[in-house]
Amino acid sequence: MFLFTLFMVPSCRVLIDNLQAALDAQFDSQARTASHSYVKYNNWNTVKSRIYHIITLNPDLVSRSVIGKTYEGRPMYLLKLGKNGANKKAIFMDCGFHAREWISPAFCQWFVKEAVETYGKDSVMTTLLDKLDFYVLPVVNIDGYVYTWTNDRMWRKTRSKNAGTTCIGTDPNRNFDAGWCTLGASDYPCSSTYCGSAPESEKETKALADFIREHLSTIKAYLTIHSYSQLLLFPYSYTYNFISHLMCSYSFPVKLCLISSPTDPAAGGSDDWAYDQGIKYSFTFELRDTGRYGFLLPESQIKPTCEETFLAVKYIANYVLEHLY
Ligand SMILES: [Zn+2]
């Protein structure tokens, strides 16, 4: 099976010439168990039971709420990490906007594990959880994620029906009310970057946006985890009128960054929207790799990817904490 992958504009080159081999190669972890493992990819049911497990083991650090339901009716679980305290500010982080970006939910799970395991041992993490709360949405687009396990590994969008066509789904990261559908998004329902019939037409994006709107006085940073490219992006992506992307060498904590104008403008993204709500620290992470495996990142890269990203998130969180007022 051969696939010619278009990579950015204007030039094209083949990155993965044998998709089936890459599909097989992603499962290269030694941990071939049916149960949950942080160094392999886990399906939604396994993620869900791990969430429950971690709350049971750490009731003083982790709690769970449901912020809405997906199009197919799955509850959207939001985790809250942090010690009880009055008037705490918070950092919001989500994973799994785009269904096929499996490394993203893997990172949110890793983050929760690492946070609870290092609390009381690592002084920075202890201070962070004492003084801040982390809201972690482990998978935004659960329906899409489930579909990548059951039907189509390369699925990206939600699974909602569109009027007047058999084409399914909206790109949830083109569905926010931030320059909606003006740049780098499509109004054609069959497109993989379909912006939806209106901003927040998707139940998943509406639930996320509602939660952030309701907690605007406490949320001081918004982090959204995608793949792939190994970039850290900050607003705006919906206009060329601002200095936009922060392109960083992938050695976190962030040291070597070059500011550039957007190479891939995209309107309706959650980071731009959160920034427009007044959340000053709003970043999109594009995790590994740079195209060798793309969305089919082998499981053997989960640990190093999560370790370096964990450092970056910790670094940003600590910066936010030190610059709260
Ligand atoms: Zn993405």
Side-chain angles (χ1 to χ4, degrees), residues 114-115 117-128 310 314:
E114 204 61 25
E117 279 180 3
T118 56
Y119 180 81
K121 295 178 186 137
D122 175 80
S123 62
V124 175
M125 189 43 83
T126 307
T127 306
L128 285 174
F310 185 79
K314 211 164 115 177

Side-chain angles (χ1 to χ4, degrees), residues 77-81 91 93 108 111-112 134-138:
Y77 296 113
L78 179 73
L79 298 177
K80 184 181 179 185
L81 278 72
I91 290 175
M93 180 167 74
C108 268
F111 180 84
V112 173
F134 286 86
Y135 290 113
V136 180
L137 187 52

Side-chain angles (χ1 to χ4, degrees), residues 64-129:
R64 184 184 83 170
S65 62
V66 175
I67 61 164
K69 282 191 171 173
T70 66
Y71 179 81
E72 291 176 351
R74 295 183 174 90
M76 294 173 67
Y77 296 113
L78 179 73
L79 298 177
K80 184 181 179 185
L81 278 72
K83 274 282 178 190
N84 279 338
N87 303 317
K88 289 178 81 181
K89 301 300 181 194
I91 290 175
F92 188 101
M93 180 167 74
D94 59 51
C95 290
F97 251 88
H98 291 135
R100 63 192 175 190
E101 298 166 8
W102 282 9
I103 187 62
S104 165
F107 175 69
C108 268
Q109 294 165 65
W110 184 281
F111 180 84
V112 173
K113 165 194 85 88
E114 204 61 25
V116 299
E117 279 180 3
T118 56
Y119 180 81
K121 295 178 186 137
D122 175 80
S123 62
V124 175
M125 189 43 83
T126 307
T127 306
L128 285 174
L129 292 178

Side-chain angles (χ1 to χ4, degrees), residues 97-98 101 156 173 225-228 286 295:
F97 251 88
H98 291 135
E101 298 166 8
R156 168 182 168 95
N173 206 33
I225 314 295
H226 289 251
S227 76
Y228 59 93
E286 295 281 1
F295 304 115

